[in-house]
């Protein structure tokens, strides 16, 4: 299975930031056949259409950071999965912890958004992850298992869904779980997916996210059951993001 290195720009980026996409494209072209992963960038929705022109014909796919659960209608300010697709996206992140925390998104809403993504022909990147307190209390597995059960719809397959494990306490903090903890959690997620989805659950990519940087990417991305990374801060600069991509490509 080819790994996926995905960048989530969050609420960062203006038209001028598209120059970073150009630099990313150039760096990937230099890697050429040594590029060992698929590469995705999720810029703010306002930039997707311009970004699509910028990356046309290259190795970078584009994604949205959220979508509405409905296809269209009276939802002022919201963006549908179809709109993202129409702008040039092929993926959309759903259930990011920043959406769950600051917009009160429930597991059920996240599942409905994943289904909306599929209807539009987008791949859903469904995020899960525990906060600090349950990690200390030894409840991380139970929390993540519950999120998976509630957020991943029954029709999920490796063709339409990617899981991203992002421990909330590791996001933007420079802290990461130990390699042993990442390995244990990814094994747990794999077991939950297989129990729920059967064969499809065995092949569904599981990304790790949370303070992935050029200096820790090599170690994290080589752990068992880590099918790639979801990168926040370090995806904003093409040079850092390329270092992470090179770490997985072994070059
Ligand atoms: P950081 O890489 O900045 O910790 O963010 C991770 C993240 O939330 C990606 O979705």
């Amino acid at each position: 299975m080819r790994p996926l290195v995905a960048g989530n720009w969050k609420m960062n980026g203006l038209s001028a930031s598209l120059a970073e996409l150009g630099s990313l494209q150039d760096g990937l072209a230099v890697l050429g056949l040594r590029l060992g992963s698929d590469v995705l960038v999720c810029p703010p929705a306002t930039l997707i259409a311009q970004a699509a022109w910028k990356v046309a014909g290259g190795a970078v796919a584009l994604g949205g950071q959220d979508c509405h659960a409905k296809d269209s209608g009276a939802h002022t300010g919201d963006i549908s999965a179809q709109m993202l697709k129409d702008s040039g996206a092929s993926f959309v992140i759903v259930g990011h912890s920043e959406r769950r925390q600051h917009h009160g998104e429930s597991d059920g809403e996240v599942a409905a958004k994943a289904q909306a993504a599929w209807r539009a022909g987008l791949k859903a990147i469904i995020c899960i992850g525990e906060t600090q307190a349950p990690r200390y209390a030894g409840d991380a597995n139970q929390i993540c298992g519950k999120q998976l059960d509630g957020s991943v719809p029954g029709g999920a397959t490796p063709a339409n869904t990617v899981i991203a494990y992002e421990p909330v306490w590791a996001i933007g903090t420079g802290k990461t779980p130990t390699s042993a903890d990442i390995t244990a959690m990814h094994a747990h997620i794999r077991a939950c997916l297989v129990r729920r989805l059967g064969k499809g659950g065995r092949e569904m990519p599981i990304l790790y996210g949370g303070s992935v940087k050029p200096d820790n990417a090599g170690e994290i991305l080589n752990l068992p059951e880590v099918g790639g990374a979801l990168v926040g801060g370090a995806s904003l600069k093409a040079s850092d993001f390329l270092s992470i991509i090179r770490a997985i490509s072994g070059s």
Side-chain angles (χ1 to χ4, degrees), residues 8 10 93 96-98 127 166 170-173 209-213 230-234:
N8 173 11
K10 308 191 179 185
I93 298 169
H96 191 281
S97 63
E98 287 150 16
C127 300
E166 299 204 300
I171 294 177
T173 59
S211 295
V212 175
K213 306 286 178 208
L230 183 53
V231 184

Side-chain angles (χ1 to χ4, degrees), residues 3-9 37-42 61 91 93 125 162 164 166 207-209 212 221 227-232 234-235 241 244-245:
L4 173 65
V5 181
N8 173 11
W9 284 13
S37 64
D38 292 332
V39 177
L40 169 69
V41 173
C42 301
F91 287 77
I93 298 169
I125 301 179
V162 173
E166 299 204 300
L207 312 183
Y208 169 79
V212 175
L221 290 167
L230 183 53
V231 184
S235 71
F241 199 43
I244 291 169
I245 292 163

Side-chain angles (χ1 to χ4, degrees), residues 43-173:
T46 47
L47 289 181
I48 292 177
Q50 288 179 74
W53 285 103
K54 193 93 187 171
V55 303
V60 180
L62 295 171
Q65 301 174 10
D66 178 46
C67 66
H68 197 276
K70 298 251 172 68
D71 297 337
S72 63
H75 303 286
T76 302
D78 282 314
I79 294 175
S80 73
Q82 281 180 336
M83 291 169 181
L84 295 172
K85 171 87 175 175
D86 186 50
S87 301
S90 46
F91 287 77
V92 61
I93 298 169
V94 293
H96 191 281
S97 63
E98 287 150 16
R99 303 288 319 171
R100 291 176 183 265
Q101 276 189 321
H102 307 313
H103 297 264
E105 289 187 9
S106 66
D107 288 337
E109 281 169 285
V110 174
K113 289 180 176 207
Q115 287 171 316
W118 301 343
R119 285 196 301 277
L122 298 178
K123 242 185 195 194
I125 301 179
I126 302 176
C127 300
I128 60 158
E130 82 285 356
T131 53
Q132 186 109 62
R135 164 62 59 176
Y136 282 144
D139 293 336
N141 278 10
Q142 190 235 325
I143 296 282
C144 290
K146 188 165 165 288
Q147 287 179 343
L148 281 173
D149 282 349
S151 312
V152 181
T157 70
N160 64 20
T161 301
V162 173
I163 305 298
Y165 168 58
E166 299 204 300
V168 178
W169 52 273
I171 294 177
T173 59

